[in-house]
Amino acid sequence: MAGLRGGATLALLGGLMLGAALPPRRAEASEIALPPGSGITVTIKPGTTTLARPCYILFSKTPTIMLSIKSGEKKTFSFMCQNPENHFVIEIHKNIDCMSGRCPFGEVHLQPPTSALPTLNRTFIWDIQAHKSIGLELQFFMPRLRQIGPGESCPDGVTHSISGRISAAMVKIGTFCSNGTVSRIKMQERVKMALHLPWFHDRNVSGFSIANRSSIKRLCIIESVFEGEGSATLMSANYPDGFPEDELMTWQFVIPPHLRASVSFLHFNVSNCEKKEERVEYYIPGSTTNPEVFKLADKQPGNMAGNFNLSLQGCDQDAQNPGVLRLKFQVLVQHPQNESYITYTVDLSNERATSVTIEPRPVKLSRKFVPGCFVCLESRACSTNLTLTPGSKHKISFLCDDLTRLWMNAKQTLSCMDHRSCHRKSYFLQVPRDILQLPVQLHDFSWKLLVPKDKLSLALVPSEKLQQDTRERICNTSFSYLMASSSSSPGQDLYFGYFCSGGSIEQIQVKQNMSVTLRTFSPSFQQEVSKQGLKVSFIPHFKEEGVFTVTPDTKSKVYLRTPNWERGLPSLNSVSWNISVPNDQVACLTFVKDQTGLVCQTGRAFMIIQDQRTQAEEVFTLEEMLPKPSFHHHNFWVNVSNCSPVSGKQLNLLFQVSLTPRTIVGKRRKTRAWL
């Protein structure tokens, strides 16, 4: 058996050696003939990919790696491998001289036709030269072109690269794919157009024509035609490199009259100018101030009906430190919505410390076309987000197919730093009517309340008693208040939690500066808006972090918990609850857990329960077992003071208070005594 296996191995090796010694099989012979005076040169050369096994072109019985065929020549050749498309590319370069003779305007044909060329990646290049006073226009048939940026590629592999010339320097206008909006590109003096076709693509037309135009007096003009809703992303010449110094480039947009267009700058840089100023200019239909001039950092126009032009103007740059001017922008075209015809007035002229931001909700990205959602200031300056500043009256409208894609966030700062007069002041925390009238859901309205340190504290009284949101009793209302106090010491901010209407908390007192955020959870907030409202007063300073005044409801239990529930009550903080008991009721105080799990590193943590009538009090150490349920006939205090706990052994305390009529409690006690 071993001998048979050895013989088979030798036979296999011999076969492999014989195969290696055979010459590679050749592809079929090709012939390319170029007419005299055609101005065409065909070059076959190695591609950018280097393979382990080389391939050669066999011409006149001589292997070579490059072959050039000029106008008036005919050459026959073959490839010494079966897959030449993996090794070689072919360039067809045609010079069109419009200076010494008549320019061949009209449709541009592929010469030689693709059927007469070997199956390689092909690049057709047309180099057109004309007088400086002559404008050259490339007209693209359907489908029109779509510009792509660096690192992007076309799905079908077909790309169009277009360049122009300023004096002796070539300027890249852009790289384009099919299925876009670009229908014409106008340039002056010289145009270089390159069409790249992959070897497997059977396209046999150039897809464009050349027309003669008068001088355009600028670098180029790009025409973009929209048939319906859609978007186009466009870039300045040489992008992402610098736009040529002191040049002018224009984009012309053709928009159906029943649609609206908005411009957004996606990325831009400005150079260092010595003379003039870099800017963008718009010719907008119906504008009495054409051209409308904007800086690149300005919000760009939106909600425009009909055709318009956009131009980018460079400047004379600093020779020592020129910087880079570049621009990438998007034009979004969509149907106008009913809201785009309504103007809303938001009067913040008397709101000196209030700002409102309208912005998109966070959403998952989609590859499908999604109509834009814009907020327009004075119906023209449109953007995806808009901040209304205090002290002014703003007129806004919306260009959006679905206003639920937007929400509002507002901020207001209220302060009183003169402690001698602050105690006579109070504020009502309510969302202004001008904000509530907008057709966009309010997400957050935050009030920042500031007081002089160690001089005054704050008291908040809700228009309806509040409930603290806990796992045992969740807030199911359309809005809640998130309350927190801020500390000058790092890590000492105190989050009191979420509170909603329909509870038993009548007042919250806070030692120092705090923030109150009204957060909405559903559009039904508009129907419950009357329930919102907090009165803020300035009171004498006290040492505890917070004091809650609670009047339990006879129909339900009250759940209360210490602040900073997720992270634990900060070190050495103290919080109290002032709990009222009606004369005909008895309150039962119950702790949800038997132990807190607290471990103190320094100091002691304790809880004091004090009867407010007799002043009798009980003191409990919070590192030990919590007290059992207790009954209280009079108003009482619950005070919790923290130590400096060991990391991971924080203080979190949850308790409940329920009311029972006194007669029922008395009967229960008599029954227990009889038993």
Side-chain angles (χ1 to χ4, degrees):
M1 291 294 291
L4 289 173
R5 289 175 181 171
T9 302
L10 289 172
L12 178 62
L13 287 172
L16 291 173
M17 292 175 65
L18 181 61
L22 292 175
R25 288 178 292 175
R26 300 175 186 174
E28 294 182 3
S30 300
E31 181 181 276
I32 296 177
L34 301 178
S38 63
I40 300 174
T41 300
V42 175
T43 304
I44 302 173
K45 60 184 181 180
T48 56
T49 305
T50 302
L51 301 178
R53 178 174 290 183
C55 181
Y56 297 96
I57 305 168
L58 188 63
F59 173 65
S60 298
K61 299 182 181 182
T62 304
T64 182
I65 60 171
M66 183 175 292
L67 181 65
S68 180
I69 306 157
K70 298 180 180 180
S71 176
E73 294 182 342
K74 179 173 73 172
K75 291 184 179 180
T76 302
F77 57 93
S78 62
F79 297 100
M80 301 178 68
C81 60
Q82 285 294 320
N83 54 349
E85 69 276 3
N86 295 334
H87 298 266
F88 296 99
V89 296
I90 185 169
E91 285 187 359
I92 304 94
H93 193 285
K94 180 177 178 62
N95 289 314
I96 301 176
D97 186 359
C98 298
M99 299 180 70
S100 57
R102 186 179 178 185
C103 211
F105 296 120
E107 183 179 352
V108 175
H109 299 282
L110 297 183
Q111 294 178 321
T114 53
S115 58
L117 298 174
T119 309
L120 305 175
N121 289 337
R122 307 177 289 279
T123 302
F124 288 87
I125 301 171
W126 295 270
D127 199 340
I128 311 162
Q129 297 188 59
H131 291 283
K132 290 184 178 181
S133 60
I134 299 296
L136 296 170
E137 179 181 276
L138 305 182
Q139 300 176 350
F140 300 95
F141 314 142
M142 297 295 288
R144 301 185 178 105
L145 303 187
R146 173 176 62 88
Q147 189 170 7
I148 59 173
E152 296 181 86
S153 59
C154 299
D156 59 358
V158 178
T159 59
H160 307 70
S161 298
I162 303 170
S163 301
R165 187 173 73 177
I166 300 174
S167 299
M170 293 301 295
V171 178
K172 182 180 178 182
I173 302 303
T175 302
F176 301 83
C177 303
S178 302
N179 299 319
T181 63
V182 174
S183 59
R184 303 167 191 258
I185 297 180
K186 304 173 187 177
M187 286 174 284
Q188 212 161 290
E189 185 180 353
R190 183 174 180 181
V191 177
K192 191 173 184 179
M193 164 76 184
L195 172 64
H196 173 75
L197 300 174
W199 65 269
F200 52 81
H201 207 284
D202 59 357
R203 177 168 170 170
N204 57 9
V205 295
S206 70
F208 76 98
S209 62
I210 304 173
N212 181 18
R213 292 291 180 263
S214 59
S215 174
I216 62 173
K217 299 178 180 179
R218 62 199 67 205
L219 174 62
C220 74
I221 300 173
I222 296 179
E223 181 185 77
S224 181
V225 178
F226 287 83
E227 302 288 349
E229 288 190 314
S231 64
T233 300
L234 297 158
M235 286 148 266
S236 57
N238 282 342
Y239 189 90
D241 295 328
F243 186 69
E245 182 178 6
D246 196 24
E247 277 295 333
L248 177 64
M249 182 175 181
T250 296
W251 293 265
Q252 296 177 335
F253 296 96
V254 179
I255 312 293
H258 64 284
L259 299 180
R260 299 293 182 269
S262 298
V263 177
S264 300
F265 284 5
L266 305 178
H267 180 259
F268 68 87
N269 288 93
V270 295
S271 55
N272 299 315
C273 298
E274 275 190 348
K275 297 179 181 179
K276 303 182 183 179
E277 186 177 14
E278 294 167 342
R279 63 191 185 274
V280 285
E281 297 180 353
Y282 292 84
Y283 279 84
I284 301 174
S287 174
T288 58
T289 58
N290 281 325
E292 295 192 17
V293 180
F294 293 80
K295 294 181 180 179
L296 275 74
D298 292 340
K299 289 188 180 299
Q300 302 303 310
N303 200 21
M304 294 179 285
N307 306 338
F308 71 96
N309 294 355
L310 184 161
S311 296
L312 174 65
Q313 175 66 66
C315 67
D316 292 330
Q317 298 172 349
D318 185 338
Q320 301 299 321
N321 183 23
V324 174
L325 171 61
R326 54 179 163 229
L327 173 63
K328 180 180 181 180
F329 67 97
Q330 183 185 66
V331 175
L332 192 61
V333 175
Q334 61 194 75
H335 286 284
Q337 307 302 314
N338 291 335
E339 291 295 338
S340 65
Y341 298 106
I342 302 174
T343 299
Y344 298 88
T345 300
V346 181
D347 190 357
L348 300 180
S349 54
N350 295 324
E351 305 287 349
R352 297 183 179 178
T354 304
S355 63
V356 181
T357 299
I358 304 172
E359 58 191 352
R361 294 171 181 262
V363 293
K364 292 182 179 179
L365 297 177
S366 172
R367 292 187 177 182
K368 296 181 180 179
F369 168 72
V370 178
C373 211
F374 294 97
V375 192
C376 303
L377 189 63
E378 301 292 342
S379 77
R380 182 57 60 78
C382 300
S383 61
T384 54
N385 56 69
L386 176 66
T387 297
L388 307 179
T389 54
S392 300
K393 184 182 289 187
H394 307 274
K395 292 183 178 181
I396 65 172
S397 59
F398 296 90
L399 180 61
C400 186
D401 67 320
D402 181 6
L403 288 174
T404 61
R405 294 166 57 191
L406 299 173
W407 65 17
M408 288 185 291
N409 292 290
K411 296 179 181 180
Q412 185 177 50
T413 300
L414 300 174
S415 62
C416 188
M417 294 303 165
D418 184 359
H419 68 278
R420 293 168 297 183
S421 60
C422 288
H423 66 277
R424 296 192 297 268
K425 291 186 177 181
S426 61
Y427 297 99
F428 286 94
L429 305 187
Q430 287 184 313
V431 180
R433 290 184 179 180
D434 279 5
I435 295 176
L436 293 174
Q437 54 116 13
L438 295 176
V440 176
Q441 183 182 340
L442 175 68
H443 177 234
D444 278 355
F445 197 111
S446 297
W447 292 271
K448 191 173 184 179
L449 310 175
L450 306 178
V451 294
K453 186 178 181 182
D454 300 332
K455 299 291 185 181
L456 291 173
S457 295
L458 294 162
L460 286 81
V461 178
S463 57
E464 291 190 10
K465 290 191 292 185
L466 299 178
Q467 166 199 327
Q468 188 171 15
D469 183 73
T470 64
R471 186 176 300 174
E472 291 70 21
R473 191 176 179 193
I474 299 172
C475 285
N476 290 318
T477 53
S478 62
F479 72 96
S480 291
Y481 292 104
L482 172 61
M483 300 187 186
S485 68
S486 55
S487 172
S488 57
S489 302
Q492 293 294 305
D493 289 352
L494 201 63
Y495 291 88
F496 292 104
Y498 280 100
F499 300 85
C500 58
S501 58
S504 302
I505 300 173
E506 293 185 335
Q507 181 176 262
I508 301 174
Q509 295 172 280
V510 180
K511 172 183 175 181
Q512 54 195 359
N513 299 339
M514 73 173 299
S515 66
V516 178
T517 299
L518 184 150
R519 176 164 294 172
T520 68
F521 301 101
S522 73
S524 62
F525 166 69
Q526 292 285 359
Q527 284 73 50
E528 299 182 0
V529 69
S530 59
K531 296 182 180 180
Q532 59 109 9
L534 291 171
K535 181 181 179 181
V536 180
S537 303
F538 299 93
I539 60 175
H541 181 71
F542 58 88
K543 294 184 178 181
E544 291 182 277
E545 298 302 323
V547 178
F548 296 83
T549 300
V550 183
T551 300
D553 189 347
T554 57
K555 298 179 181 179
S556 60
K557 297 177 182 178
V558 180
Y559 287 91
L560 301 164
R561 67 183 185 186
T562 50
N564 268 31
W565 181 255
E566 300 295 335
R567 295 179 290 173
L569 189 67
S571 300
L572 308 178
N573 274 206
S574 177
V575 184
S576 292
W577 290 264
N578 178 8
I579 302 173
S580 299
V581 181
N583 292 332
D584 60 341
Q585 301 285 319
V586 176
C588 179
L589 174 65
T590 305
F591 294 91
V592 176
K593 293 183 179 180
D594 296 332
Q595 293 181 328
T596 63
L598 174 69
V599 178
C600 290
Q601 188 171 21
T602 58
R604 296 185 64 188
F606 55 88
M607 177 173 60
I608 300 174
I609 302 176
Q610 183 189 61
D611 188 297
Q612 294 185 22
R613 177 179 293 185
T614 65
Q615 301 299 308
E617 62 181 35
E618 294 179 277
V619 181
F620 304 91
T621 301
L622 294 177
E623 290 182 275
E624 301 174 357
M625 295 289 291
L626 290 173
K628 294 181 179 181
S630 57
F631 294 91
H632 302 269
H633 294 75
H634 311 119
N635 299 348
F636 64 99
W637 287 97
V638 176
N639 171 264
V640 174
S641 297
N642 199 11
C643 60
S644 293
V646 174
S647 178
K649 301 293 183 180
Q650 308 297 325
L651 175 57
N652 292 307
L653 195 63
L654 175 66
F655 60 93
Q656 67 179 36
V657 179
S658 58
L659 295 179
T660 308
R662 287 196 179 192
T663 54
I664 296 176
V665 175
K667 287 179 181 180
R668 287 178 180 171
R669 288 182 175 175
K670 287 180 181 179
T671 303
R672 289 176 183 170
W674 183 79
L675 291 172

